[in-house]
Amino acid sequence: MREISAAAVTSAVRELFIDANQRLGDDILAKFESCLRHETSGIARGVLEELRENAAIAREEGSPVCQDTGLAILFVEIGQDLHVSGGDLRAAINEGVRQGYAQGYLRKSVCDPFSRANTGDNTPAVIHYDIVPGDRMRIIAMPKGGGAENMSRVEMLTPAAGLRGVEDLVVETVERAGANPCPPTIIGVGVGGTIERSAILAKRALLRKMGERNPDPEIAGIEKRLLERVNELGIGPMAYGGDTTSLDVFMEVEPCHIASLPVTVNIQCHAARHKEAVL
Ligand code: SF4
């Protein structure tokens, strides 16, 4: 049984959240460039140039890409032959979030849902654990802004709604969201499982790199068709109009109950931040 310390987990989580907030992924930056080449609206191109410049300044100065530095979401894959010593894993992860948000001068955005009192340190994090083969731990840190999360949607469709119903729900959700999720967006779609499983599938889908299609050719075709449909809405970058409403659409699908068709559309803004480490 391999062993790692809880302190190593804390340290990794701290660095991941600082890095994710300051440095957009290279795939997102490359996607901005390709959208700039294809966008036909001058205003939209201007907005894309500003997003590109904002990302460059954040990298250079070590400042956050956006003032909303997000609720801390983590996907943690734990090898079944790995043991964490010297502390409680959940506490170690939350300590990493606490340190990262303090040391990175990141806004603390977590509060009690009713009193709205801020917890003061951006904890508790939302942590999704998965036990996997092996003796490693993969930690994916995803600071998720509130504006895009608020425009997301969970629906229990009737089975008769079928694929057409799912596709229409995605397009309608993006249209209804308009400017609120700071487009250009990335759309994560989770279909199947149960109500909570569809939501986790949708969120996980947002971790894919730009252009990374579902390995199932049929689902990959749906992703491409949906990307075309949402971009035909003409909402454009920051809703000033244009061809670039969404950067990509990712769909994950699992079997579900014969009486159900759970669908979650999880919207991610252009500040699509996620970083990972393997311990
Ligand atoms: S939706 Fe995204 S870009 Fe807009 S304020 Fe929130 S985190 Fe920032």
Side-chain angles (χ1 to χ4, degrees), residues 135-277:
D135 62 2
R136 303 278 150 181
M137 181 184 292
R138 181 178 177 217
I139 304 172
I140 304 170
M142 180 192 206
K144 186 80 166 63
E149 193 75 354
N150 288 348
M151 294 296 108
S152 302
R153 195 164 166 195
V154 184
E155 289 284 343
M156 300 299 286
L157 296 180
T158 61
L163 175 58
R164 185 74 203 180
V166 171
E167 291 192 18
D168 288 348
L169 179 75
V170 173
V171 177
E172 192 190 308
T173 303
V174 175
E175 186 169 29
R176 196 170 73 173
N180 293 318
C182 299
T185 51
I186 300 161
I187 312 299
V189 187
V191 183
T194 52
I195 190 165
E196 81 281 9
R197 183 64 188 163
S198 72
I200 291 171
L201 288 174
K203 184 138 274 125
R204 265 214 91 111
L206 292 173
L207 299 174
R208 277 199 234 151
K209 287 199 183 305
M210 295 293 97
E212 189 184 334
R213 297 269 70 87
N214 189 299
D216 180 330
E218 198 180 328
I219 309 298
I222 298 169
E223 292 172 344
K224 283 192 216 159
R225 192 161 63 237
L226 278 172
L227 182 59
E228 279 173 24
R229 282 187 68 187
V230 294
N231 280 333
E232 279 165 9
L233 291 171
I235 295 169
M238 302 308 278
Y240 284 109
D243 311 308
T244 319
T245 298
S246 294
L247 301 175
D248 217 333
V249 178
F250 302 123
M251 179 183 277
E252 296 291 332
V253 180
E254 281 187 1
C256 59
H257 191 281
I258 52 172
S260 303
L261 181 49
V263 185
T264 297
V265 184
N266 197 186
I267 301 186
Q268 168 66 60
C269 59
H270 67 269
R273 298 156 290 188
H274 51 91
K275 290 288 165 72
E276 68 173 80

Side-chain angles (χ1 to χ4, degrees), residues 26-43:
D26 291 337
D27 62 318
I28 301 285
L29 300 180
K31 188 68 187 180
F32 286 166
E33 296 298 337
S34 99
C35 290
L36 270 165
R37 285 194 295 277
H38 297 108
E39 176 60 64
T40 55
S41 156
I43 296 176

Side-chain angles (χ1 to χ4, degrees), residues 79-131:
Q80 63 191 24
D81 298 319
L82 181 73
H83 176 243
V84 179
S85 62
D88 171 79
L89 177 59
R90 182 180 294 275
I93 291 171
N94 276 310
E95 180 57 25
V97 171
R98 194 173 288 118
Q99 291 181 12
Y101 276 74
Q103 292 176 25
Y105 300 101
L106 307 174
R107 193 185 83 184
K108 287 82 181 172
S109 308
V110 178
C111 69
D112 179 275
F114 297 125
S115 71
R116 311 308 293 180
N118 198 299
T119 63
D121 59 7
N122 223 52
T123 71
V126 174
I127 311 168
H128 303 287
Y129 298 101
D130 208 359
I131 306 297

